[in-house]
PDB file of all heavy atoms in Angstrom:
ATOM      1  N   MET A  16       5.826 -51.734 -17.212  1.00 87.00           N
ATOM      2  CA  MET A  16       5.039 -50.908 -18.114  1.00 87.00           C
ATOM      3  C   MET A  16       4.286 -51.770 -19.137  1.00 87.00           C
ATOM      4  O   MET A  16       3.117 -51.535 -19.404  1.00 87.00           O
ATOM      5  CB  MET A  16       5.986 -49.929 -18.822  1.00 87.00           C
ATOM      6  CG  MET A  16       5.292 -48.985 -19.760  1.00 87.00           C
ATOM      7  SD  MET A  16       4.337 -47.778 -18.848  1.00 87.00           S
ATOM      8  CE  MET A  16       3.651 -46.855 -20.164  1.00 87.00           C
ATOM      9  N   PHE A  17       4.966 -52.754 -19.701  1.00 93.00           N
ATOM     10  CA  PHE A  17       4.327 -53.623 -20.697  1.00 93.00           C
ATOM     11  C   PHE A  17       3.192 -54.420 -20.069  1.00 93.00           C
ATOM     12  O   PHE A  17       2.126 -54.566 -20.660  1.00 93.00           O
ATOM     13  CB  PHE A  17       5.383 -54.568 -21.286  1.00 93.00           C
ATOM     14  CG  PHE A  17       4.824 -55.504 -22.311  1.00 93.00           C
ATOM     15  CD1 PHE A  17       4.421 -55.040 -23.560  1.00 93.00           C
ATOM     16  CD2 PHE A  17       4.691 -56.855 -22.033  1.00 93.00           C
ATOM     17  CE1 PHE A  17       3.897 -55.897 -24.499  1.00 93.00           C
ATOM     18  CE2 PHE A  17       4.153 -57.720 -22.972  1.00 93.00           C
ATOM     19  CZ  PHE A  17       3.774 -57.240 -24.213  1.00 93.00           C
ATOM     20  N   LYS A  18       3.413 -54.899 -18.849  1.00 94.00           N
ATOM     21  CA  LYS A  18       2.393 -55.685 -18.155  1.00 94.00           C
ATOM     22  C   LYS A  18       1.164 -54.829 -17.855  1.00 94.00           C
ATOM     23  O   LYS A  18       0.024 -55.294 -17.964  1.00 94.00           O
ATOM     24  CB  LYS A  18       2.988 -56.232 -16.863  1.00 94.00           C
ATOM     25  CG  LYS A  18       2.275 -57.415 -16.292  1.00 94.00           C
ATOM     26  CD  LYS A  18       3.040 -57.939 -15.092  1.00 94.00           C
ATOM     27  CE  LYS A  18       2.715 -59.371 -14.853  1.00 94.00           C
ATOM     28  NZ  LYS A  18       3.429 -59.927 -13.712  1.00 94.00           N
ATOM     29  N   LYS A  19       1.403 -53.571 -17.509  1.00 94.00           N
ATOM     30  CA  LYS A  19       0.287 -52.673 -17.203  1.00 94.00           C
ATOM     31  C   LYS A  19      -0.538 -52.376 -18.456  1.00 94.00           C
ATOM     32  O   LYS A  19      -1.766 -52.317 -18.400  1.00 94.00           O
ATOM     33  CB  LYS A  19       0.848 -51.381 -16.618  1.00 94.00           C
ATOM     34  CG  LYS A  19      -0.139 -50.567 -15.859  1.00 94.00           C
ATOM     35  CD  LYS A  19       0.555 -49.397 -15.185  1.00 94.00           C
ATOM     36  CE  LYS A  19      -0.325 -48.823 -14.110  1.00 94.00           C
ATOM     37  NZ  LYS A  19       0.341 -47.740 -13.395  1.00 94.00           N
ATOM     38  N   SER A  20       0.109 -52.207 -19.581  1.00 96.00           N
ATOM     39  CA  SER A  20      -0.635 -51.921 -20.815  1.00 96.00           C
ATOM     40  C   SER A  20      -1.417 -53.140 -21.290  1.00 96.00           C
ATOM     41  O   SER A  20      -2.528 -53.008 -21.805  1.00 96.00           O
ATOM     42  CB  SER A  20       0.318 -51.434 -21.905  1.00 96.00           C
ATOM     43  OG  SER A  20       1.250 -52.438 -22.221  1.00 96.00           O
ATOM     44  N   ILE A  21      -0.858 -54.330 -21.117  1.00 96.00           N
ATOM     45  CA  ILE A  21      -1.584 -55.554 -21.469  1.00 96.00           C
ATOM     46  C   ILE A  21      -2.819 -55.725 -20.579  1.00 96.00           C
ATOM     47  O   ILE A  21      -3.897 -56.097 -21.036  1.00 96.00           O
ATOM     48  CB  ILE A  21      -0.652 -56.790 -21.366  1.00 96.00           C
ATOM     49  CG1 ILE A  21       0.437 -56.720 -22.424  1.00 96.00           C
ATOM     50  CG2 ILE A  21      -1.436 -58.082 -21.488  1.00 96.00           C
ATOM     51  CD1 ILE A  21      -0.072 -56.770 -23.845  1.00 96.00           C
ATOM     52  N   TYR A  22      -2.654 -55.415 -19.286  1.00 96.00           N
ATOM     53  CA  TYR A  22      -3.779 -55.507 -18.356  1.00 96.00           C
ATOM     54  C   TYR A  22      -4.875 -54.513 -18.741  1.00 96.00           C
ATOM     55  O   TYR A  22      -6.058 -54.842 -18.709  1.00 96.00           O
ATOM     56  CB  TYR A  22      -3.291 -55.243 -16.929  1.00 96.00           C
ATOM     57  CG  TYR A  22      -4.389 -55.317 -15.911  1.00 96.00           C
ATOM     58  CD1 TYR A  22      -4.924 -56.546 -15.523  1.00 96.00           C
ATOM     59  CD2 TYR A  22      -4.914 -54.166 -15.324  1.00 96.00           C
ATOM     60  CE1 TYR A  22      -5.937 -56.624 -14.597  1.00 96.00           C
ATOM     61  CE2 TYR A  22      -5.924 -54.229 -14.402  1.00 96.00           C
ATOM     62  CZ  TYR A  22      -6.437 -55.456 -14.039  1.00 96.00           C
ATOM     63  OH  TYR A  22      -7.450 -55.530 -13.126  1.00 96.00           O
ATOM     64  N   ALA A  23      -4.493 -53.291 -19.125  1.00 96.00           N
ATOM     65  CA  ALA A  23      -5.476 -52.282 -19.523  1.00 96.00           C
ATOM     66  C   ALA A  23      -6.190 -52.704 -20.809  1.00 96.00           C
ATOM     67  O   ALA A  23      -7.401 -52.510 -20.943  1.00 96.00           O
ATOM     68  CB  ALA A  23      -4.791 -50.938 -19.714  1.00 96.00           C
ATOM     69  N   LEU A  24      -5.462 -53.288 -21.740  1.00 96.00           N
ATOM     70  CA  LEU A  24      -6.066 -53.757 -22.984  1.00 96.00           C
ATOM     71  C   LEU A  24      -7.062 -54.889 -22.715  1.00 96.00           C
ATOM     72  O   LEU A  24      -8.171 -54.898 -23.258  1.00 96.00           O
ATOM     73  CB  LEU A  24      -4.981 -54.229 -23.946  1.00 96.00           C
ATOM     74  CG  LEU A  24      -5.461 -54.786 -25.286  1.00 96.00           C
ATOM     75  CD1 LEU A  24      -6.129 -53.693 -26.095  1.00 96.00           C
ATOM     76  CD2 LEU A  24      -4.298 -55.374 -26.050  1.00 96.00           C
ATOM     77  N   ALA A  25      -6.688 -55.823 -21.859  1.00 97.00           N
ATOM     78  CA  ALA A  25      -7.580 -56.935 -21.532  1.00 97.00           C
ATOM     79  C   ALA A  25      -8.828 -56.446 -20.807  1.00 97.00           C
ATOM     80  O   ALA A  25      -9.937 -56.935 -21.054  1.00 97.00           O
ATOM     81  CB  ALA A  25      -6.838 -57.958 -20.680  1.00 97.00           C
ATOM     82  N   SER A  26      -8.666 -55.478 -19.935  1.00 97.00           N
ATOM     83  CA  SER A  26      -9.817 -54.938 -19.208  1.00 97.00           C
ATOM     84  C   SER A  26     -10.778 -54.225 -20.148  1.00 97.00           C
ATOM     85  O   SER A  26     -11.996 -54.399 -20.051  1.00 97.00           O
ATOM     86  CB  SER A  26      -9.349 -53.964 -18.131  1.00 97.00           C
ATOM     87  OG  SER A  26      -8.561 -54.630 -17.185  1.00 97.00           O
ATOM     88  N   SER A  27     -10.229 -53.445 -21.071  1.00 96.00           N
ATOM     89  CA  SER A  27     -11.103 -52.723 -21.992  1.00 96.00           C
ATOM     90  C   SER A  27     -11.801 -53.669 -22.957  1.00 96.00           C
ATOM     91  O   SER A  27     -12.964 -53.467 -23.309  1.00 96.00           O
ATOM     92  CB  SER A  27     -10.319 -51.654 -22.749  1.00 96.00           C
ATOM     93  OG  SER A  27      -9.289 -52.256 -23.492  1.00 96.00           O
ATOM     94  N   LEU A  28     -11.112 -54.721 -23.393  1.00 96.00           N
ATOM     95  CA  LEU A  28     -11.757 -55.687 -24.286  1.00 96.00           C
ATOM     96  C   LEU A  28     -12.853 -56.465 -23.579  1.00 96.00           C
ATOM     97  O   LEU A  28     -13.900 -56.743 -24.167  1.00 96.00           O
ATOM     98  CB  LEU A  28     -10.711 -56.643 -24.857  1.00 96.00           C
ATOM     99  CG  LEU A  28      -9.812 -56.065 -25.949  1.00 96.00           C
ATOM    100  CD1 LEU A  28      -8.793 -57.114 -26.383  1.00 96.00           C
ATOM    101  CD2 LEU A  28     -10.620 -55.592 -27.130  1.00 96.00           C
ATOM    102  N   SER A  29     -12.637 -56.809 -22.326  1.00 96.00           N
ATOM    103  CA  SER A  29     -13.687 -57.529 -21.593  1.00 96.00           C
ATOM    104  C   SER A  29     -14.880 -56.616 -21.335  1.00 96.00           C
ATOM    105  O   SER A  29     -16.028 -57.058 -21.398  1.00 96.00           O
ATOM    106  CB  SER A  29     -13.138 -58.099 -20.299  1.00 96.00           C
ATOM    107  OG  SER A  29     -12.675 -57.069 -19.457  1.00 96.00           O
ATOM    108  N   PHE A  30     -14.630 -55.343 -21.073  1.00 93.00           N
ATOM    109  CA  PHE A  30     -15.728 -54.386 -20.896  1.00 93.00           C
ATOM    110  C   PHE A  30     -16.519 -54.225 -22.192  1.00 93.00           C
ATOM    111  O   PHE A  30     -17.753 -54.195 -22.181  1.00 93.00           O
ATOM    112  CB  PHE A  30     -15.160 -53.043 -20.434  1.00 93.00           C
ATOM    113  CG  PHE A  30     -16.203 -52.000 -20.187  1.00 93.00           C
ATOM    114  CD1 PHE A  30     -17.088 -52.118 -19.126  1.00 93.00           C
ATOM    115  CD2 PHE A  30     -16.304 -50.891 -21.015  1.00 93.00           C
ATOM    116  CE1 PHE A  30     -18.053 -51.156 -18.893  1.00 93.00           C
ATOM    117  CE2 PHE A  30     -17.269 -49.933 -20.802  1.00 93.00           C
ATOM    118  CZ  PHE A  30     -18.140 -50.055 -19.725  1.00 93.00           C
ATOM    119  N   LEU A  31     -15.824 -54.173 -23.312  1.00 91.00           N
ATOM    120  CA  LEU A  31     -16.485 -54.081 -24.610  1.00 91.00           C
ATOM    121  C   LEU A  31     -17.318 -55.324 -24.891  1.00 91.00           C
ATOM    122  O   LEU A  31     -18.434 -55.239 -25.417  1.00 91.00           O
ATOM    123  CB  LEU A  31     -15.440 -53.875 -25.699  1.00 91.00           C
ATOM    124  CG  LEU A  31     -15.955 -53.715 -27.115  1.00 91.00           C
ATOM    125  CD1 LEU A  31     -16.736 -52.414 -27.253  1.00 91.00           C
ATOM    126  CD2 LEU A  31     -14.798 -53.730 -28.092  1.00 91.00           C
ATOM    127  N   ALA A  32     -16.810 -56.493 -24.526  1.00 89.00           N
ATOM    128  CA  ALA A  32     -17.558 -57.737 -24.740  1.00 89.00           C
ATOM    129  C   ALA A  32     -18.834 -57.763 -23.906  1.00 89.00           C
ATOM    130  O   ALA A  32     -19.874 -58.228 -24.379  1.00 89.00           O
ATOM    131  CB  ALA A  32     -16.670 -58.927 -24.404  1.00 89.00           C
ATOM    132  N   VAL A  33     -18.768 -57.252 -22.690  1.00 86.00           N
ATOM    133  CA  VAL A  33     -19.965 -57.205 -21.841  1.00 86.00           C
ATOM    134  C   VAL A  33     -21.011 -56.281 -22.441  1.00 86.00           C
ATOM    135  O   VAL A  33     -22.206 -56.602 -22.470  1.00 86.00           O
ATOM    136  CB  VAL A  33     -19.580 -56.759 -20.409  1.00 86.00           C
ATOM    137  CG1 VAL A  33     -20.803 -56.384 -19.596  1.00 86.00           C
ATOM    138  CG2 VAL A  33     -18.807 -57.859 -19.710  1.00 86.00           C
ATOM    139  N   ILE A  34     -20.590 -55.153 -22.964  1.00 83.00           N
ATOM    140  CA  ILE A  34     -21.534 -54.205 -23.579  1.00 83.00           C
ATOM    141  C   ILE A  34     -22.190 -54.823 -24.813  1.00 83.00           C
ATOM    142  O   ILE A  34     -23.402 -54.732 -25.000  1.00 83.00           O
ATOM    143  CB  ILE A  34     -20.800 -52.895 -23.939  1.00 83.00           C
ATOM    144  CG1 ILE A  34     -20.438 -52.143 -22.670  1.00 83.00           C
ATOM    145  CG2 ILE A  34     -21.661 -52.020 -24.831  1.00 83.00           C
ATOM    146  CD1 ILE A  34     -19.612 -50.912 -22.910  1.00 83.00           C
ATOM    147  N   ILE A  35     -21.404 -55.486 -25.649  1.00 79.00           N
ATOM    148  CA  ILE A  35     -21.942 -56.075 -26.880  1.00 79.00           C
ATOM    149  C   ILE A  35     -22.936 -57.192 -26.563  1.00 79.00           C
ATOM    150  O   ILE A  35     -24.022 -57.246 -27.133  1.00 79.00           O
ATOM    151  CB  ILE A  35     -20.796 -56.575 -27.773  1.00 79.00           C
ATOM    152  CG1 ILE A  35     -20.033 -55.384 -28.344  1.00 79.00           C
ATOM    153  CG2 ILE A  35     -21.325 -57.449 -28.904  1.00 79.00           C
ATOM    154  CD1 ILE A  35     -18.789 -55.761 -29.090  1.00 79.00           C
ATOM    155  N   THR A  36     -22.592 -58.068 -25.638  1.00 77.00           N
ATOM    156  CA  THR A  36     -23.494 -59.181 -25.339  1.00 77.00           C
ATOM    157  C   THR A  36     -24.739 -58.723 -24.607  1.00 77.00           C
ATOM    158  O   THR A  36     -25.817 -59.276 -24.816  1.00 77.00           O
ATOM    159  CB  THR A  36     -22.781 -60.259 -24.517  1.00 77.00           C
ATOM    160  OG1 THR A  36     -22.246 -59.664 -23.335  1.00 77.00           O
ATOM    161  CG2 THR A  36     -21.675 -60.907 -25.315  1.00 77.00           C
ATOM    162  N   SER A  37     -24.639 -57.715 -23.759  1.00 74.00           N
ATOM    163  CA  SER A  37     -25.836 -57.257 -23.051  1.00 74.00           C
ATOM    164  C   SER A  37     -26.794 -56.554 -24.004  1.00 74.00           C
ATOM    165  O   SER A  37     -28.007 -56.700 -23.884  1.00 74.00           O
ATOM    166  CB  SER A  37     -25.458 -56.337 -21.898  1.00 74.00           C
ATOM    167  OG  SER A  37     -24.885 -55.147 -22.378  1.00 74.00           O
ATOM    168  N   SER A  38     -26.277 -55.809 -24.971  1.00 67.00           N
ATOM    169  CA  SER A  38     -27.180 -55.151 -25.921  1.00 67.00           C
ATOM    170  C   SER A  38     -27.828 -56.174 -26.844  1.00 67.00           C
ATOM    171  O   SER A  38     -28.993 -56.032 -27.211  1.00 67.00           O
ATOM    172  CB  SER A  38     -26.430 -54.093 -26.732  1.00 67.00           C
ATOM    173  OG  SER A  38     -25.441 -54.695 -27.526  1.00 67.00           O
ATOM    174  N   ALA A  39     -27.098 -57.216 -27.214  1.00 63.00           N
ATOM    175  CA  ALA A  39     -27.678 -58.249 -28.075  1.00 63.00           C
ATOM    176  C   ALA A  39     -28.766 -59.018 -27.329  1.00 63.00           C
ATOM    177  O   ALA A  39     -29.806 -59.330 -27.898  1.00 63.00           O
ATOM    178  CB  ALA A  39     -26.591 -59.193 -28.555  1.00 63.00           C
ATOM    179  N   SER A  40     -28.550 -59.317 -26.056  1.00 64.00           N
ATOM    180  CA  SER A  40     -29.575 -60.047 -25.316  1.00 64.00           C
ATOM    181  C   SER A  40     -30.794 -59.163 -25.067  1.00 64.00           C
ATOM    182  O   SER A  40     -31.911 -59.642 -25.025  1.00 64.00           O
ATOM    183  CB  SER A  40     -29.019 -60.566 -23.994  1.00 64.00           C
ATOM    184  OG  SER A  40     -28.656 -59.493 -23.153  1.00 64.00           O
ATOM    185  N   PHE A  41     -30.581 -57.855 -24.916  1.00 61.00           N
ATOM    186  CA  PHE A  41     -31.719 -56.944 -24.761  1.00 61.00           C
ATOM    187  C   PHE A  41     -32.553 -56.920 -26.033  1.00 61.00           C
ATOM    188  O   PHE A  41     -33.785 -56.950 -25.984  1.00 61.00           O
ATOM    189  CB  PHE A  41     -31.232 -55.539 -24.425  1.00 61.00           C
ATOM    190  CG  PHE A  41     -32.337 -54.517 -24.421  1.00 61.00           C
ATOM    191  CD1 PHE A  41     -33.250 -54.488 -23.390  1.00 61.00           C
ATOM    192  CD2 PHE A  41     -32.467 -53.608 -25.450  1.00 61.00           C
ATOM    193  CE1 PHE A  41     -34.281 -53.564 -23.384  1.00 61.00           C
ATOM    194  CE2 PHE A  41     -33.491 -52.685 -25.452  1.00 61.00           C
ATOM    195  CZ  PHE A  41     -34.397 -52.657 -24.416  1.00 61.00           C
ATOM    196  N   LEU A  42     -31.904 -56.899 -27.173  1.00 59.00           N
ATOM    197  CA  LEU A  42     -32.641 -56.903 -28.434  1.00 59.00           C
ATOM    198  C   LEU A  42     -33.342 -58.232 -28.660  1.00 59.00           C
ATOM    199  O   LEU A  42     -34.396 -58.285 -29.283  1.00 59.00           O
ATOM    200  CB  LEU A  42     -31.692 -56.607 -29.601  1.00 59.00           C
ATOM    201  CG  LEU A  42     -31.130 -55.194 -29.645  1.00 59.00           C
ATOM    202  CD1 LEU A  42     -30.110 -55.086 -30.772  1.00 59.00           C
ATOM    203  CD2 LEU A  42     -32.221 -54.173 -29.817  1.00 59.00           C
ATOM    204  N   TYR A  43     -32.780 -59.324 -28.161  1.00 64.00           N
ATOM    205  CA  TYR A  43     -33.421 -60.627 -28.313  1.00 64.00           C
ATOM    206  C   TYR A  43     -34.653 -60.732 -27.417  1.00 64.00           C
ATOM    207  O   TYR A  43     -35.664 -61.292 -27.819  1.00 64.00           O
ATOM    208  CB  TYR A  43     -32.426 -61.737 -27.973  1.00 64.00           C
ATOM    209  CG  TYR A  43     -33.028 -63.109 -28.079  1.00 64.00           C
ATOM    210  CD1 TYR A  43     -33.288 -63.682 -29.318  1.00 64.00           C
ATOM    211  CD2 TYR A  43     -33.373 -63.824 -26.942  1.00 64.00           C
ATOM    212  CE1 TYR A  43     -33.858 -64.930 -29.427  1.00 64.00           C
ATOM    213  CE2 TYR A  43     -33.942 -65.084 -27.041  1.00 64.00           C
ATOM    214  CZ  TYR A  43     -34.182 -65.628 -28.285  1.00 64.00           C
ATOM    215  OH  TYR A  43     -34.751 -66.857 -28.379  1.00 64.00           O
ATOM    216  N   ILE A  44     -34.578 -60.182 -26.218  1.00 65.00           N
ATOM    217  CA  ILE A  44     -35.704 -60.265 -25.283  1.00 65.00           C
ATOM    218  C   ILE A  44     -36.879 -59.428 -25.785  1.00 65.00           C
ATOM    219  O   ILE A  44     -38.019 -59.858 -25.779  1.00 65.00           O
ATOM    220  CB  ILE A  44     -35.266 -59.821 -23.871  1.00 65.00           C
ATOM    221  CG1 ILE A  44     -34.318 -60.864 -23.283  1.00 65.00           C
ATOM    222  CG2 ILE A  44     -36.465 -59.621 -22.967  1.00 65.00           C
ATOM    223  CD1 ILE A  44     -33.671 -60.452 -21.997  1.00 65.00           C
ATOM    224  N   TYR A  45     -36.604 -58.202 -26.259  1.00 65.00           N
ATOM    225  CA  TYR A  45     -37.685 -57.348 -26.760  1.00 65.00           C
ATOM    226  C   TYR A  45     -37.858 -57.594 -28.253  1.00 65.00           C
ATOM    227  O   TYR A  45     -37.061 -57.160 -29.068  1.00 65.00           O
ATOM    228  CB  TYR A  45     -37.382 -55.870 -26.513  1.00 65.00           C
ATOM    229  CG  TYR A  45     -38.461 -54.980 -27.082  1.00 65.00           C
ATOM    230  CD1 TYR A  45     -39.692 -54.902 -26.456  1.00 65.00           C
ATOM    231  CD2 TYR A  45     -38.253 -54.262 -28.244  1.00 65.00           C
ATOM    232  CE1 TYR A  45     -40.699 -54.115 -26.979  1.00 65.00           C
ATOM    233  CE2 TYR A  45     -39.253 -53.473 -28.776  1.00 65.00           C
ATOM    234  CZ  TYR A  45     -40.472 -53.403 -28.135  1.00 65.00           C
ATOM    235  OH  TYR A  45     -41.474 -52.629 -28.663  1.00 65.00           O
ATOM    236  N   GLN A  46     -38.909 -58.305 -28.600  1.00 66.00           N
ATOM    237  CA  GLN A  46     -39.152 -58.603 -30.004  1.00 66.00           C
ATOM    238  C   GLN A  46     -40.415 -57.949 -30.545  1.00 66.00           C
ATOM    239  O   GLN A  46     -40.694 -58.056 -31.727  1.00 66.00           O
ATOM    240  CB  GLN A  46     -39.217 -60.124 -30.216  1.00 66.00           C
ATOM    241  CG  GLN A  46     -37.905 -60.792 -29.925  1.00 66.00           C
ATOM    242  CD  GLN A  46     -37.986 -62.283 -30.154  1.00 66.00           C
ATOM    243  OE1 GLN A  46     -39.049 -62.829 -30.360  1.00 66.00           O
ATOM    244  NE2 GLN A  46     -36.852 -62.932 -30.099  1.00 66.00           N
ATOM    245  N   GLY A  47     -41.163 -57.300 -29.705  1.00 72.00           N
ATOM    246  CA  GLY A  47     -42.352 -56.603 -30.189  1.00 72.00           C
ATOM    247  C   GLY A  47     -43.469 -57.559 -30.568  1.00 72.00           C
ATOM    248  O   GLY A  47     -43.475 -58.733 -30.207  1.00 72.00           O
ATOM    249  N   GLN A  48     -44.431 -57.050 -31.314  1.00 78.00           N
ATOM    250  CA  GLN A  48     -45.581 -57.842 -31.735  1.00 78.00           C
ATOM    251  C   GLN A  48     -45.257 -58.617 -33.011  1.00 78.00           C
ATOM    252  O   GLN A  48     -44.552 -58.133 -33.879  1.00 78.00           O
ATOM    253  CB  GLN A  48     -46.775 -56.915 -31.995  1.00 78.00           C
ATOM    254  CG  GLN A  48     -47.269 -56.197 -30.767  1.00 78.00           C
ATOM    255  CD  GLN A  48     -47.912 -57.154 -29.786  1.00 78.00           C
ATOM    256  OE1 GLN A  48     -48.490 -58.164 -30.165  1.00 78.00           O
ATOM    257  NE2 GLN A  48     -47.802 -56.829 -28.506  1.00 78.00           N
ATOM    258  N   THR A  49     -45.816 -59.816 -33.101  1.00 77.00           N
ATOM    259  CA  THR A  49     -45.658 -60.628 -34.305  1.00 77.00           C
ATOM    260  C   THR A  49     -46.655 -60.182 -35.363  1.00 77.00           C
ATOM    261  O   THR A  49     -47.842 -60.030 -35.058  1.00 77.00           O
ATOM    262  CB  THR A  49     -45.891 -62.118 -33.967  1.00 77.00           C
ATOM    263  OG1 THR A  49     -45.047 -62.477 -32.885  1.00 77.00           O
ATOM    264  CG2 THR A  49     -45.597 -63.001 -35.161  1.00 77.00           C
ATOM    265  N   PRO A  50     -46.211 -59.949 -36.583  1.00 77.00           N
ATOM    266  CA  PRO A  50     -47.153 -59.549 -37.644  1.00 77.00           C
ATOM    267  C   PRO A  50     -48.197 -60.639 -37.891  1.00 77.00           C
ATOM    268  O   PRO A  50     -47.934 -61.837 -37.725  1.00 77.00           O
ATOM    269  CB  PRO A  50     -46.256 -59.362 -38.861  1.00 77.00           C
ATOM    270  CG  PRO A  50     -44.899 -59.149 -38.333  1.00 77.00           C
ATOM    271  CD  PRO A  50     -44.833 -59.914 -37.057  1.00 77.00           C
ATOM    272  N   ASP A  51     -49.376 -60.229 -38.298  1.00 80.00           N
ATOM    273  CA  ASP A  51     -50.473 -61.173 -38.540  1.00 80.00           C
ATOM    274  C   ASP A  51     -50.156 -62.151 -39.672  1.00 80.00           C
ATOM    275  O   ASP A  51     -50.640 -63.283 -39.679  1.00 80.00           O
ATOM    276  CB  ASP A  51     -51.762 -60.409 -38.863  1.00 80.00           C
ATOM    277  CG  ASP A  51     -52.284 -59.666 -37.647  1.00 80.00           C
ATOM    278  OD1 ASP A  51     -51.988 -60.097 -36.520  1.00 80.00           O
ATOM    279  OD2 ASP A  51     -53.013 -58.661 -37.839  1.00 80.00           O
ATOM    280  N   GLU A  52     -49.364 -61.725 -40.655  1.00 80.00           N
ATOM    281  CA  GLU A  52     -49.026 -62.599 -41.773  1.00 80.00           C
ATOM    282  C   GLU A  52     -48.224 -63.813 -41.323  1.00 80.00           C
ATOM    283  O   GLU A  52     -48.324 -64.889 -41.918  1.00 80.00           O
ATOM    284  CB  GLU A  52     -48.224 -61.834 -42.839  1.00 80.00           C
ATOM    285  CG  GLU A  52     -49.019 -60.772 -43.571  1.00 80.00           C
ATOM    286  CD  GLU A  52     -49.117 -59.462 -42.787  1.00 80.00           C
ATOM    287  OE1 GLU A  52     -48.333 -59.286 -41.840  1.00 80.00           O
ATOM    288  OE2 GLU A  52     -49.987 -58.647 -43.112  1.00 80.00           O
ATOM    289  N   LEU A  53     -47.441 -63.659 -40.271  1.00 79.00           N
ATOM    290  CA  LEU A  53     -46.641 -64.783 -39.782  1.00 79.00           C
ATOM    291  C   LEU A  53     -47.444 -65.748 -38.917  1.00 79.00           C
ATOM    292  O   LEU A  53     -47.048 -66.882 -38.732  1.00 79.00           O
ATOM    293  CB  LEU A  53     -45.441 -64.259 -38.991  1.00 79.00           C
ATOM    294  CG  LEU A  53     -44.412 -63.467 -39.801  1.00 79.00           C
ATOM    295  CD1 LEU A  53     -43.337 -62.946 -38.865  1.00 79.00           C
ATOM    296  CD2 LEU A  53     -43.800 -64.336 -40.884  1.00 79.00           C
ATOM    297  N   LEU A  54     -48.575 -65.295 -38.401  1.00 79.00           N
ATOM    298  CA  LEU A  54     -49.377 -66.143 -37.519  1.00 79.00           C
ATOM    299  C   LEU A  54     -50.316 -67.045 -38.288  1.00 79.00           C
ATOM    300  O   LEU A  54     -50.904 -67.954 -37.704  1.00 79.00           O
ATOM    301  CB  LEU A  54     -50.177 -65.265 -36.554  1.00 79.00           C
ATOM    302  CG  LEU A  54     -49.339 -64.457 -35.555  1.00 79.00           C
ATOM    303  CD1 LEU A  54     -50.249 -63.558 -34.718  1.00 79.00           C
ATOM    304  CD2 LEU A  54     -48.531 -65.372 -34.658  1.00 79.00           C
ATOM    305  N   LYS A  55     -50.490 -66.833 -39.586  1.00 73.00           N
ATOM    306  CA  LYS A  55     -51.413 -67.649 -40.375  1.00 73.00           C
ATOM    307  C   LYS A  55     -50.824 -68.985 -40.736  1.00 73.00           C
ATOM    308  O   LYS A  55     -49.676 -69.192 -40.857  1.00 73.00           O
ATOM    309  CB  LYS A  55     -51.817 -66.898 -41.640  1.00 73.00           C
ATOM    310  CG  LYS A  55     -52.658 -65.697 -41.341  1.00 73.00           C
ATOM    311  CD  LYS A  55     -53.041 -64.989 -42.614  1.00 73.00           C
ATOM    312  CE  LYS A  55     -53.869 -63.761 -42.292  1.00 73.00           C
ATOM    313  NZ  LYS A  55     -54.238 -63.007 -43.466  1.00 73.00           N
TER     314      LYS A  55
END
């Protein structure tokens, strides 16, 4: 029983890590247009 709960905890944490890193990389890839003030 203890081994099964540890396995479930590890699986859920790894799934959470995949969600967090994929959303962060999506936000990094889509950066939109650069404001004109920064291009000067």
